Amino acid sequence: LKYFVRGASATEYEHAFAGLNPEDVVGEAAPAGVFLQFAETDQYVPVYRTDALFEATGEPKRMELYTGGHELDEKARRDRLAWLREQLGF
C-alpha cells in the first residue's frame, strides 16, 4: 500500500486493485508450471506474502528464496533460465 497509493487507506487500496491480487489468479495457471522467485529481504514483498502466494499456486509449482533484496541476483537468473529451458524442452 505505501508504495503504490500514497495516502490511501487499506480499503481504498483493496478497492482500486480488486482483481489484481496475484494470490487470486495464480491458481489459474495450472496445469502450466509456475516458478516463484523471491528475496529474503525484499522491501516490497515480505516473506509471509511469498508463502501465501506459493500456497495459492496450483501444481506443478516451485519456489526459491534468495538472499538479498528486491533485485534478484545472478543465481536467481541462472535458476530461472534453467527452469525455462526445462519447461520449454530446450
Side-chain angles (χ1 to χ4, degrees), residues 25-35 56-62 83 87:
V25 296
V26 71
E28 297 175 17
V34 176
F35 181 24
T57 304
E59 294 289 346
K61 62 184 175 181
R62 175 180 168 195
W83 183 83
Q87 296 299 305

Side-chain angles (χ1 to χ4, degrees), residues 18-49:
L20 299 176
N21 183 347
E23 292 170 31
D24 295 339
V25 296
V26 71
E28 297 175 17
V34 176
F35 181 24
L36 302 168
Q37 295 180 290
F38 301 105
E40 292 175 339
T41 57
D42 190 321
Q43 67 182 11
Y44 301 108
V45 185
V47 173
Y48 76 88
R49 298 291 296 173

Side-chain angles (χ1 to χ4, degrees), residues 1-17:
L1 176 62
K2 66 182 177 180
Y3 297 108
F4 299 109
V5 185
R6 297 188 191 278
S9 70
T11 302
E12 291 169 319
Y13 174 82
E14 289 173 11
H15 179 71
F17 290 95

Side-chain angles (χ1 to χ4, degrees), residues 28-87:
E28 297 175 17
V34 176
F35 181 24
L36 302 168
Q37 295 180 290
F38 301 105
E40 292 175 339
T41 57
D42 190 321
Q43 67 182 11
Y44 301 108
V45 185
V47 173
Y48 76 88
R49 298 291 296 173
T50 67
D51 293 340
L53 187 57
F54 184 70
E55 288 302 315
T57 304
E59 294 289 346
K61 62 184 175 181
R62 175 180 168 195
M63 183 174 89
E64 293 293 333
L65 191 61
Y66 300 90
T67 58
H70 187 71
E71 295 76 25
L72 296 175
D73 61 12
E74 182 62 27
K75 179 173 180 356
R77 188 179 85 69
R78 285 192 309 268
D79 290 351
R80 183 170 46 257
L81 289 174
W83 183 83
L84 284 169
R85 284 185 190 104
E86 178 183 315
Q87 296 299 305

